[in-house]
Amino acid sequence: DTGVSQNPRHKITKRGQNVTFRCDPISEHNRLYWYRQTLGQGPEFLTYFQNEAQLEKSRLLSDRFSAERPKGSFSTLEIQRTEQGDSAMYLCASSDDRQPQHFGDGTRLSIL
Amino acid sequence: TQLLEQSPQFLSIQEGENLTVYCNSSSVFSSLQWYRQEPGEGPVLLVTVVTGGEVKKLKRLTFQFGDARKDSSLHITAAQPGDTGLYLCAGATANFGNEKLTFGTGTRLTIIP
């Protein structure tokens, strides 16, 4: 069990560019979650998958955001046309049907 | 909208002292998780409480879930510098916390050696 892995750990990009983050969950965890955390705040839920099905999306997930989990294993979160307000830590977590969520160390996004 | 408020927001105490952190909501949760987060890292799960009135102990940490399952507290005995970090409570509508989590505002704890 190697834990939840997120890549990259840091991403710096110019406003207007697209970015993509990857999350590899704990093996055999069928549920995968994305959260966003801004400085000084608790994480805010974005979306979650059970296997490859996206079961819930927050209103925070605007049309510039898209998440996929095509084979029910790793997931990607893409942000198109990034804005200053997208600067945050993006956290991924995974669980199975009878376990609480375990988090990765996040991808810190900075928009110049 | 479910909201979780934590108090205090910041707490700085001397090594060896005791402290209590509170997590309050107007909503009922099926389960509540406590996490600790250090700078640049993801939250690490400390405990899950499910039953109203439940008390769980983890070494010097004692967690309690309110009878109405709307609030929780974390008590640390004889705090040590290693306890320093951001403590987050998170409520879930699922017993195992395996659906959407609603996080509290966090308590930033600093233990002074």
Side-chain angles (χ1 to χ4, degrees):
Chain A
D1 183 353
T2 57
V4 178
S5 177
Q6 293 189 245
N7 288 288
R9 290 296 314 277
H10 299 94
K11 179 70 177 179
I12 301 173
T13 192
K14 293 182 179 179
R15 187 180 57 182
Q17 297 294 305
N18 300 342
V19 294
T20 300
F21 311 139
R22 176 178 170 124
C23 173
D24 288 90
I26 294 171
S27 59
E28 298 180 358
H29 275 187
N30 61 342
R31 298 180 184 227
L32 187 147
Y33 315 79
W34 286 99
Y35 293 82
R36 183 174 71 185
Q37 186 177 26
T38 53
L39 204 59
Q41 301 294 319
E44 296 174 292
F45 172 78
L46 293 178
T47 188
Y48 97 92
F49 294 83
Q50 182 168 350
N51 299 310
E52 64 275 12
Q54 189 171 16
L55 295 189
E56 187 173 350
K57 289 171 30 173
S58 162
R59 286 174 295 175
L60 292 174
L61 213 65
S62 75
D63 56 4
R64 296 185 299 105
F65 289 70
S66 62
E68 295 183 343
R69 195 183 184 199
K71 297 183 179 179
S73 55
F74 73 91
S75 175
T76 57
L77 177 67
E78 180 183 17
I79 309 175
Q80 296 182 326
R81 305 181 303 280
T82 53
E83 301 173 355
Q84 291 283 355
D86 296 332
S87 294
M89 173 80 88
Y90 290 83
L91 291 163
C92 176
S94 71
S95 75
D96 65 18
D97 290 338
R98 296 180 66 83
Q99 291 285 335
Q101 297 174 36
H102 294 268
F103 283 80
D105 283 336
T107 294
R108 179 163 296 283
L109 175 64
S110 298
I111 308 298
L112 301 178
Chain B
T1 302
Q2 296 176 315
L3 292 174
L4 278 167
E5 294 189 358
Q6 290 186 238
S7 61
Q9 188 175 359
F10 298 95
L11 184 58
S12 183
I13 63 171
Q14 293 289 136
E15 181 177 0
E17 293 184 356
N18 301 333
L19 65 110
T20 302
V21 173
Y22 299 93
C23 173
N24 295 296
S25 174
S26 57
S27 302
V28 175
F29 292 101
S30 295
S31 67
L32 195 135
Q33 280 69 232
W34 282 92
Y35 289 84
R36 186 172 76 197
Q37 186 177 26
E38 304 203 22
E41 299 181 6
V44 175
L45 180 69
L46 297 175
V47 78
T48 298
V49 285
V50 177
T51 306
E54 181 176 4
V55 177
K56 281 192 173 179
K57 291 192 175 183
L58 186 66
K59 297 183 181 178
R60 295 176 294 101
L61 278 59
T62 301
F63 304 85
Q64 184 162 9
F65 202 11
D67 291 342
R69 290 184 289 132
K70 292 182 179 181
D71 53 83
S72 182
S73 64
L74 159 59
H75 182 80
I76 301 179
T77 304
Q80 298 179 1
D83 296 328
T84 293
L86 177 67
Y87 287 81
L88 294 160
C89 63
T93 53
N95 281 352
F96 301 104
N98 55 3
E99 293 181 1
K100 165 188 170 182
L101 289 178
T102 300
F103 277 87
T105 47
T107 294
R108 188 164 296 282
L109 175 64
T110 303
I111 307 301
I112 303 166

